[in-house]
mmCIF file of all heavy atoms in Angstrom:
data_model
loop_
_atom_site.group_PDB
_atom_site.id
_atom_site.type_symbol
_atom_site.label_atom_id
_atom_site.label_comp_id
_atom_site.label_asym_id
_atom_site.label_seq_id
_atom_site.Cartn_x
_atom_site.Cartn_y
_atom_site.Cartn_z
ATOM 1 N N ARG C 1 6.542 -3.310 17.155
ATOM 2 C CA ARG C 1 5.312 -3.969 17.599
ATOM 3 C C ARG C 1 4.654 -4.837 16.536
ATOM 4 O O ARG C 1 3.762 -5.629 16.846
ATOM 5 C CB ARG C 1 4.315 -2.921 18.098
ATOM 6 C CG ARG C 1 4.774 -2.250 19.381
ATOM 7 C CD ARG C 1 3.766 -1.260 19.915
ATOM 8 N NE ARG C 1 4.155 -0.803 21.239
ATOM 9 C CZ ARG C 1 3.790 -1.384 22.367
ATOM 10 N NH1 ARG C 1 2.993 -2.442 22.334
ATOM 11 N NH2 ARG C 1 4.197 -0.911 23.530
ATOM 12 N N GLY C 2 5.050 -4.706 15.285
ATOM 13 C CA GLY C 2 4.440 -5.490 14.222
ATOM 14 C C GLY C 2 5.485 -5.981 13.245
ATOM 15 O O GLY C 2 6.480 -5.301 12.986
ATOM 16 N N VAL C 3 5.252 -7.178 12.672
ATOM 17 C CA VAL C 3 6.220 -7.753 11.743
ATOM 18 C C VAL C 3 5.495 -8.600 10.712
ATOM 19 O O VAL C 3 4.504 -9.268 11.013
ATOM 20 C CB VAL C 3 7.277 -8.588 12.511
ATOM 21 C CG1 VAL C 3 6.644 -9.765 13.232
ATOM 22 C CG2 VAL C 3 8.383 -9.061 11.590
ATOM 23 N N CYS C 4 5.993 -8.553 9.469
ATOM 24 C CA CYS C 4 5.507 -9.405 8.389
ATOM 25 C C CYS C 4 6.694 -9.823 7.531
ATOM 26 O O CYS C 4 7.687 -9.087 7.433
ATOM 27 C CB CYS C 4 4.487 -8.666 7.523
ATOM 28 S SG CYS C 4 2.782 -8.875 8.032
ATOM 29 N N ALA C 5 6.562 -10.987 6.885
ATOM 30 C CA ALA C 5 7.628 -11.493 6.028
ATOM 31 C C ALA C 5 7.204 -11.429 4.568
ATOM 32 O O ALA C 5 6.095 -11.832 4.211
ATOM 33 C CB ALA C 5 7.973 -12.934 6.411
ATOM 34 N N LEU C 6 8.097 -10.904 3.726
ATOM 35 C CA LEU C 6 7.898 -10.847 2.285
ATOM 36 C C LEU C 6 9.134 -11.436 1.636
ATOM 37 O O LEU C 6 10.100 -10.741 1.362
ATOM 38 C CB LEU C 6 7.669 -9.397 1.838
ATOM 39 C CG LEU C 6 7.449 -9.155 0.351
ATOM 40 C CD1 LEU C 6 6.170 -9.838 -0.120
ATOM 41 C CD2 LEU C 6 7.389 -7.663 0.054
ATOM 42 N N GLY C 7 9.111 -12.755 1.427
ATOM 43 C CA GLY C 7 10.309 -13.421 0.940
ATOM 44 C C GLY C 7 11.430 -13.283 1.949
ATOM 45 O O GLY C 7 11.272 -13.622 3.119
ATOM 46 N N ARG C 8 12.548 -12.744 1.499
ATOM 47 C CA ARG C 8 13.688 -12.540 2.399
ATOM 48 C C ARG C 8 13.759 -11.109 2.928
ATOM 49 O O ARG C 8 14.801 -10.666 3.422
ATOM 50 C CB ARG C 8 14.990 -12.918 1.689
ATOM 51 C CG ARG C 8 15.030 -14.391 1.288
ATOM 52 C CD ARG C 8 16.405 -14.824 0.834
ATOM 53 N NE ARG C 8 16.404 -16.201 0.380
ATOM 54 C CZ ARG C 8 16.469 -17.256 1.162
ATOM 55 N NH1 ARG C 8 16.547 -17.089 2.471
ATOM 56 N NH2 ARG C 8 16.463 -18.490 0.669
ATOM 57 N N THR C 9 12.647 -10.405 2.808
ATOM 58 C CA THR C 9 12.544 -9.057 3.368
ATOM 59 C C THR C 9 11.511 -9.060 4.487
ATOM 60 O O THR C 9 10.428 -9.616 4.329
ATOM 61 C CB THR C 9 12.128 -8.035 2.294
ATOM 62 O OG1 THR C 9 13.107 -8.039 1.243
ATOM 63 C CG2 THR C 9 12.020 -6.637 2.881
ATOM 64 N N ILE C 10 11.867 -8.455 5.598
ATOM 65 C CA ILE C 10 10.966 -8.345 6.746
ATOM 66 C C ILE C 10 10.497 -6.902 6.869
ATOM 67 O O ILE C 10 11.300 -5.969 6.798
ATOM 68 C CB ILE C 10 11.685 -8.778 8.044
ATOM 69 C CG1 ILE C 10 12.104 -10.248 7.947
ATOM 70 C CG2 ILE C 10 10.796 -8.547 9.258
ATOM 71 C CD1 ILE C 10 10.959 -11.219 7.759
ATOM 72 N N LEU C 11 9.194 -6.737 7.045
ATOM 73 C CA LEU C 11 8.632 -5.422 7.330
ATOM 74 C C LEU C 11 8.436 -5.328 8.836
ATOM 75 O O LEU C 11 7.768 -6.169 9.443
ATOM 76 C CB LEU C 11 7.294 -5.220 6.628
ATOM 77 C CG LEU C 11 7.341 -4.801 5.149
ATOM 78 C CD1 LEU C 11 7.886 -5.924 4.282
ATOM 79 C CD2 LEU C 11 5.962 -4.381 4.675
ATOM 80 N N LEU C 12 9.023 -4.313 9.436
ATOM 81 C CA LEU C 12 8.983 -4.115 10.877
ATOM 82 C C LEU C 12 8.418 -2.732 11.174
ATOM 83 O O LEU C 12 8.873 -1.741 10.619
ATOM 84 C CB LEU C 12 10.393 -4.237 11.453
ATOM 85 C CG LEU C 12 10.546 -4.201 12.978
ATOM 86 C CD1 LEU C 12 9.996 -5.480 13.605
ATOM 87 C CD2 LEU C 12 12.008 -4.009 13.364
ATOM 88 N N THR C 13 7.400 -2.674 12.052
ATOM 89 C CA THR C 13 6.872 -1.361 12.425
ATOM 90 C C THR C 13 7.711 -0.769 13.545
ATOM 91 O O THR C 13 8.167 -1.468 14.443
ATOM 92 C CB THR C 13 5.407 -1.448 12.881
ATOM 93 O OG1 THR C 13 5.302 -2.223 14.079
ATOM 94 C CG2 THR C 13 4.528 -2.055 11.793
ATOM 95 N N ASP C 14 7.886 0.532 13.463
ATOM 96 C CA ASP C 14 8.630 1.307 14.451
ATOM 97 C C ASP C 14 7.713 2.451 14.879
ATOM 98 O O ASP C 14 7.363 3.306 14.060
ATOM 99 C CB ASP C 14 9.916 1.836 13.816
ATOM 100 C CG ASP C 14 10.788 2.647 14.763
ATOM 101 O OD1 ASP C 14 10.264 3.176 15.767
ATOM 102 O OD2 ASP C 14 11.999 2.779 14.490
ATOM 103 N N THR C 15 7.309 2.481 16.138
ATOM 104 C CA THR C 15 6.297 3.437 16.570
ATOM 105 C C THR C 15 6.733 4.888 16.413
ATOM 106 O O THR C 15 5.894 5.780 16.305
ATOM 107 C CB THR C 15 5.890 3.199 18.041
ATOM 108 O OG1 THR C 15 7.064 3.223 18.865
ATOM 109 C CG2 THR C 15 5.173 1.873 18.197
ATOM 110 N N ASP C 16 8.021 5.155 16.397
ATOM 111 C CA ASP C 16 8.500 6.526 16.244
ATOM 112 C C ASP C 16 8.833 6.881 14.803
ATOM 113 O O ASP C 16 9.210 8.019 14.514
ATOM 114 C CB ASP C 16 9.753 6.755 17.088
ATOM 115 C CG ASP C 16 9.450 6.905 18.566
ATOM 116 O OD1 ASP C 16 8.254 6.927 18.918
ATOM 117 O OD2 ASP C 16 10.394 6.975 19.363
ATOM 118 N N PHE C 17 8.704 5.903 13.903
ATOM 119 C CA PHE C 17 9.239 6.143 12.565
ATOM 120 C C PHE C 17 8.285 5.718 11.453
ATOM 121 O O PHE C 17 8.068 6.436 10.498
ATOM 122 C CB PHE C 17 10.575 5.413 12.416
ATOM 123 C CG PHE C 17 11.346 5.806 11.198
ATOM 124 C CD1 PHE C 17 12.127 6.945 11.208
ATOM 125 C CD2 PHE C 17 11.284 5.046 10.045
ATOM 126 C CE1 PHE C 17 12.828 7.325 10.075
ATOM 127 C CE2 PHE C 17 11.976 5.414 8.910
ATOM 128 C CZ PHE C 17 12.764 6.556 8.924
ATOM 129 N N GLY C 18 7.738 4.516 11.534
ATOM 130 C CA GLY C 18 6.903 3.990 10.463
ATOM 131 C C GLY C 18 7.270 2.561 10.130
ATOM 132 O O GLY C 18 7.255 1.687 10.999
ATOM 133 N N LEU C 19 7.629 2.323 8.877
ATOM 134 C CA LEU C 19 7.998 0.982 8.416
ATOM 135 C C LEU C 19 9.486 0.907 8.136
ATOM 136 O O LEU C 19 10.063 1.811 7.528
ATOM 137 C CB LEU C 19 7.254 0.638 7.121
ATOM 138 C CG LEU C 19 5.846 0.085 7.203
ATOM 139 C CD1 LEU C 19 5.338 -0.201 5.786
ATOM 140 C CD2 LEU C 19 5.778 -1.172 8.039
ATOM 141 N N ARG C 20 10.089 -0.202 8.577
ATOM 142 C CA ARG C 20 11.471 -0.495 8.225
ATOM 143 C C ARG C 20 11.506 -1.801 7.447
ATOM 144 O O ARG C 20 10.808 -2.764 7.803
ATOM 145 C CB ARG C 20 12.350 -0.585 9.478
ATOM 146 C CG ARG C 20 12.438 0.733 10.240
ATOM 147 C CD ARG C 20 13.415 0.663 11.391
ATOM 148 N NE ARG C 20 13.456 1.907 12.144
ATOM 149 C CZ ARG C 20 14.212 2.958 11.836
ATOM 150 N NH1 ARG C 20 15.005 2.896 10.780
ATOM 151 N NH2 ARG C 20 14.189 4.051 12.575
ATOM 152 N N PHE C 21 12.318 -1.834 6.390
ATOM 153 C CA PHE C 21 12.456 -3.013 5.547
ATOM 154 C C PHE C 21 13.822 -3.637 5.824
ATOM 155 O O PHE C 21 14.856 -2.994 5.609
ATOM 156 C CB PHE C 21 12.327 -2.639 4.071
ATOM 157 C CG PHE C 21 10.969 -2.117 3.704
ATOM 158 C CD1 PHE C 21 10.627 -0.794 3.954
ATOM 159 C CD2 PHE C 21 10.022 -2.945 3.125
ATOM 160 C CE1 PHE C 21 9.377 -0.309 3.630
ATOM 161 C CE2 PHE C 21 8.762 -2.474 2.793
ATOM 162 C CZ PHE C 21 8.438 -1.149 3.045
ATOM 163 N N ILE C 22 13.812 -4.886 6.301
ATOM 164 C CA ILE C 22 15.034 -5.547 6.757
ATOM 165 C C ILE C 22 15.330 -6.746 5.858
ATOM 166 O O ILE C 22 14.486 -7.643 5.703
ATOM 167 C CB ILE C 22 14.891 -6.034 8.218
ATOM 168 C CG1 ILE C 22 14.289 -4.925 9.117
ATOM 169 C CG2 ILE C 22 16.245 -6.506 8.737
ATOM 170 C CD1 ILE C 22 15.096 -3.693 9.212
ATOM 171 N N ASP C 23 16.514 -6.752 5.263
ATOM 172 C CA ASP C 23 16.959 -7.888 4.454
ATOM 173 C C ASP C 23 17.488 -8.969 5.393
ATOM 174 O O ASP C 23 18.424 -8.731 6.168
ATOM 175 C CB ASP C 23 18.060 -7.431 3.495
ATOM 176 C CG ASP C 23 18.535 -8.541 2.569
ATOM 177 O OD1 ASP C 23 18.161 -9.715 2.777
ATOM 178 O OD2 ASP C 23 19.300 -8.236 1.634
ATOM 179 N N VAL C 24 16.887 -10.172 5.329
ATOM 180 C CA VAL C 24 17.310 -11.274 6.204
ATOM 181 C C VAL C 24 17.879 -12.422 5.385
ATOM 182 O O VAL C 24 17.815 -13.580 5.784
ATOM 183 C CB VAL C 24 16.144 -11.762 7.095
ATOM 184 C CG1 VAL C 24 15.773 -10.703 8.116
ATOM 185 C CG2 VAL C 24 14.927 -12.161 6.259
ATOM 186 N N THR C 25 18.461 -12.101 4.222
ATOM 187 C CA THR C 25 19.122 -13.138 3.422
ATOM 188 C C THR C 25 20.154 -13.879 4.268
ATOM 189 O O THR C 25 20.270 -15.103 4.206
ATOM 190 C CB THR C 25 19.797 -12.509 2.195
ATOM 191 O OG1 THR C 25 18.804 -11.833 1.406
ATOM 192 C CG2 THR C 25 20.465 -13.585 1.348
ATOM 193 N N ASP C 26 20.895 -13.116 5.057
ATOM 194 C CA ASP C 26 21.764 -13.697 6.084
ATOM 195 C C ASP C 26 21.106 -13.430 7.432
ATOM 196 O O ASP C 26 21.209 -12.319 7.961
ATOM 197 C CB ASP C 26 23.154 -13.068 6.038
ATOM 198 C CG ASP C 26 24.093 -13.640 7.091
ATOM 199 O OD1 ASP C 26 23.649 -14.506 7.878
ATOM 200 O OD2 ASP C 26 25.253 -13.204 7.137
ATOM 201 N N PRO C 27 20.413 -14.422 8.007
ATOM 202 C CA PRO C 27 19.685 -14.170 9.252
ATOM 203 C C PRO C 27 20.582 -13.816 10.434
ATOM 204 O O PRO C 27 20.095 -13.273 11.430
ATOM 205 C CB PRO C 27 18.942 -15.488 9.497
ATOM 206 C CG PRO C 27 19.721 -16.517 8.744
ATOM 207 C CD PRO C 27 20.280 -15.803 7.546
ATOM 208 N N GLU C 28 21.866 -14.100 10.320
ATOM 209 C CA GLU C 28 22.778 -13.737 11.402
ATOM 210 C C GLU C 28 23.225 -12.281 11.305
ATOM 211 O O GLU C 28 23.790 -11.746 12.257
ATOM 212 C CB GLU C 28 23.997 -14.663 11.378
ATOM 213 C CG GLU C 28 23.652 -16.129 11.644
ATOM 214 C CD GLU C 28 24.884 -17.003 11.691
ATOM 215 O OE1 GLU C 28 26.019 -16.456 11.663
ATOM 216 O OE2 GLU C 28 24.726 -18.235 11.756
ATOM 217 N N ALA C 29 22.962 -11.651 10.157
ATOM 218 C CA ALA C 29 23.379 -10.258 9.972
ATOM 219 C C ALA C 29 22.301 -9.506 9.184
ATOM 220 O O ALA C 29 22.541 -9.063 8.057
ATOM 221 C CB ALA C 29 24.720 -10.194 9.247
ATOM 222 N N PRO C 30 21.109 -9.341 9.751
ATOM 223 C CA PRO C 30 20.048 -8.616 9.047
ATOM 224 C C PRO C 30 20.442 -7.156 8.831
ATOM 225 O O PRO C 30 21.136 -6.560 9.661
ATOM 226 C CB PRO C 30 18.850 -8.751 9.991
ATOM 227 C CG PRO C 30 19.442 -9.008 11.336
ATOM 228 C CD PRO C 30 20.696 -9.783 11.099
ATOM 229 N N ALA C 31 20.004 -6.597 7.690
ATOM 230 C CA ALA C 31 20.390 -5.224 7.344
ATOM 231 C C ALA C 31 19.185 -4.461 6.801
ATOM 232 O O ALA C 31 18.408 -4.995 6.010
ATOM 233 C CB ALA C 31 21.512 -5.233 6.308
ATOM 234 N N GLU C 32 19.050 -3.198 7.224
ATOM 235 C CA GLU C 32 17.964 -2.366 6.715
ATOM 236 C C GLU C 32 18.259 -1.949 5.286
ATOM 237 O O GLU C 32 19.351 -1.493 4.973
ATOM 238 C CB GLU C 32 17.772 -1.141 7.602
ATOM 239 C CG GLU C 32 16.602 -0.270 7.163
ATOM 240 C CD GLU C 32 16.245 0.815 8.164
ATOM 241 O OE1 GLU C 32 16.278 0.518 9.386
ATOM 242 O OE2 GLU C 32 15.931 1.927 7.738
#
């Protein structure tokens, strides 16, 4: 439900978990 960008890292909220940090250096293959 929520997202923010920190350089090439994306912070994504997960209602069942908390925060996930996603590396989007390769936007076609994002990785936690």
Side-chain angles (χ1 to χ4, degrees):
R1 292 183 171 270
V3 62
C4 268
L6 180 64
R8 298 191 184 279
T9 301
I10 298 299
L11 278 68
L12 186 71
T13 64
D14 181 338
T15 55
D16 284 355
F17 192 82
L19 276 181
R20 296 186 182 274
F21 295 81
I22 313 299
D23 183 350
V24 292
T25 301
D26 180 358
E28 296 183 8
E32 183 170 320

